[in-house]
Amino acid sequence: MELVRLSIDNPEFDFPITLECMRRSELTVEKLLSEIERVLQSYQQFVVDEASRIDIVHVQNPHEKGHPKKPYLDIARL
């Protein structure tokens, strides 16, 4: 199972626009636009420019079929 989390931040926002962690297959344009529209009710404008930051976190389960059964990060080595 692959999980994603998306966050859009801009200095004009009081807080970032964030989509909760979800399966990659559940992330749709409609979900993203719905969350942006919810925030835009307060700000009325949204411009993606050099001041904007978009963070995407993608996590793939290492224990899924086709992947070796080992952790991504060996805590003991740290």
Side-chain angles (χ1 to χ4, degrees):
M1 169 175 40
E2 294 179 68
L3 300 175
V4 294
R5 181 174 186 262
L6 189 127
S7 177
I8 302 172
D9 200 5
N10 187 293
E12 306 240 347
F13 295 164
D14 292 333
F15 52 89
I17 299 170
T18 303
L19 291 176
E20 295 179 14
C21 194
M22 66 184 77
R23 291 178 187 215
R24 189 179 79 164
S25 61
E26 295 173 344
L27 178 60
T28 63
V29 172
E30 290 79 14
K31 280 188 181 181
L32 177 58
L33 291 177
S34 174
E35 190 62 20
I36 290 172
E37 286 175 351
R38 187 183 69 77
V39 172
L40 286 182
Q41 290 178 5
S42 302
Y43 293 98
Q44 302 303 313
Q45 292 184 14
F46 176 69
V47 177
V48 176
D49 58 13
E50 61 275 351
S52 299
R53 178 180 168 149
I54 300 173
D55 292 316
I56 301 172
V57 177
H58 176 250
V59 178
Q60 189 163 3
N61 185 345
H63 299 291
E64 252 184 37
K65 183 179 177 182
H67 295 281
K69 292 191 174 192
K70 64 179 185 176
Y72 283 130
L73 180 63
D74 183 358
I75 300 293
R77 283 187 63 193
L78 292 176

